[in-house]
Amino acid sequence: AQSVTQLGSHVSVSEGALVLLRCNYSSSVPPYLFWYVQYPNQGLQLLLKYTSAATLVKGINDFEAEFKKSETSFHLTKPSAHMSDAAEYFCAVSVEGGTALIFGKGTTLSVSS
Amino acid sequence: GAVVSQHPSRVICKSGTSVKIECRSLDFQATTMFWYRQFPKQSLMLMATSNEGSKATYEQGVEKDKFLINHASLTLSTLTVTSAHPEDSSFYICSAISGQGPSYEQYFGPGTRLTVT
């Protein structure tokens, strides 16, 4: 079975500071990994995805994530937080293309000025 | 990128009534659509997988007679909540698979907020 654990339900950073959102996965087969962002009362927007190509994945809005098989991690980072980054972030895993996603519980990112 | 729409975006209904939510892929054909529900401050939980022209596959614990899913075409799937109760109040999100890319990216709709009074 596959699962995703997001460490820290709430992360607070100052504007301009580094953003680090943690995600660890469990999968018996090579996973596909995703990070999504959700703004209040809206659907999900894909930030980036790992599909067994390069381990360092760059996404939209300067977000990136690194797939580390040895650590079963796929942490999301951004060098400099903006106020507009404040949202809910979800890490998700699937075991192959075309299958449903299994989501972590989400991390709320707050950005203060 | 691919666009998925949902209608309505928000609906309030009385307990005991039924409500239908539509999920449409606007610019691609979706062989598979997924329905998720999200309770406040919680993650998305898969309810069912819908393949065009066949019966939906429901996750354990999801009542198929209560949550009727129809995927009549490659661009439309509907979720009908029958005999709705207040505990069915939730945010329902659909997603659609575009099978054109190697990673079969899922495209999510904007969600439907259901409130049962």
Side-chain angles (χ1 to χ4, degrees):
Chain A
Q2 293 71 43
S3 65
V4 170
T5 301
Q6 290 184 241
L7 301 175
S9 59
H10 199 150
V11 171
S12 297
V13 300
S14 299
E15 193 172 20
L18 171 72
V19 175
L20 171 60
L21 304 182
R22 299 178 186 273
C23 173
N24 288 88
Y25 69 91
S26 173
S27 178
S28 56
V29 297
Y32 289 71
L33 293 161
F34 306 81
W35 274 100
Y36 287 88
V37 61
Q38 184 182 35
Y39 296 97
N41 293 312
Q42 294 186 29
L44 277 69
Q45 180 182 10
L46 180 67
L47 287 175
L48 48 80
K49 61 185 177 185
Y50 166 77
T51 57
S52 74
T55 56
L56 182 61
V57 181
K58 294 186 182 298
I60 62 172
N61 300 335
D62 295 327
F63 283 97
E64 64 180 39
E66 185 172 8
F67 173 72
K68 292 187 177 180
K69 184 177 179 180
S70 61
E71 299 177 8
T72 61
S73 69
F74 190 58
H75 302 330
L76 181 71
T77 61
K78 180 172 180 175
S80 177
H82 292 171
M83 297 294 288
S84 59
D85 293 326
E88 189 78 14
Y89 291 80
F90 292 98
C91 182
V93 64
S94 70
V95 294
E96 61 181 277
T99 62
L101 297 173
I102 298 170
F103 287 88
K105 292 188 175 183
T107 298
T108 302
L109 176 64
S110 300
V111 183
S112 58
S113 57
Chain B
V3 178
V4 174
S5 70
Q6 282 185 240
H7 178 80
S9 59
R10 188 179 295 265
V11 58
I12 301 172
C13 70
K14 292 187 176 182
S15 185
T17 63
S18 296
V19 61
K20 179 184 288 187
I21 302 170
E22 293 185 348
C23 176
R24 292 182 184 273
S25 56
L26 299 184
D27 51 3
F28 67 98
Q29 292 186 327
T31 53
T32 302
M33 289 184 171
F34 303 97
W35 286 95
Y36 298 85
R37 66 186 299 181
Q38 184 181 30
F39 291 106
K41 304 295 184 182
Q42 295 189 29
S43 187
L44 283 77
M45 299 298 292
L46 179 67
M47 298 177 65
T49 301
S50 170
N51 292 298
E52 186 266 339
S54 62
K55 291 184 177 180
T57 301
Y58 291 82
E59 294 300 297
Q60 190 173 9
V62 178
E63 299 176 59
K64 62 180 181 180
D65 294 330
K66 181 171 184 61
F67 298 99
L68 301 179
I69 293 173
N70 184 284
H71 194 160
S73 76
L74 286 171
T75 59
L76 174 64
S77 177
T78 60
L79 167 67
T80 302
V81 183
T82 63
S83 187
H85 290 116
E87 56 264 32
D88 298 325
S89 298
S90 188
F91 195 51
Y92 292 87
I93 302 176
C94 72
S95 70
I97 291 283
S98 168
Q100 297 174 359
S103 59
Y104 295 94
E105 181 172 335
Q106 282 192 41
Y107 298 96
F108 284 83
T112 296
R113 173 75 60 193
L114 170 62
T115 303
V116 184
T117 61

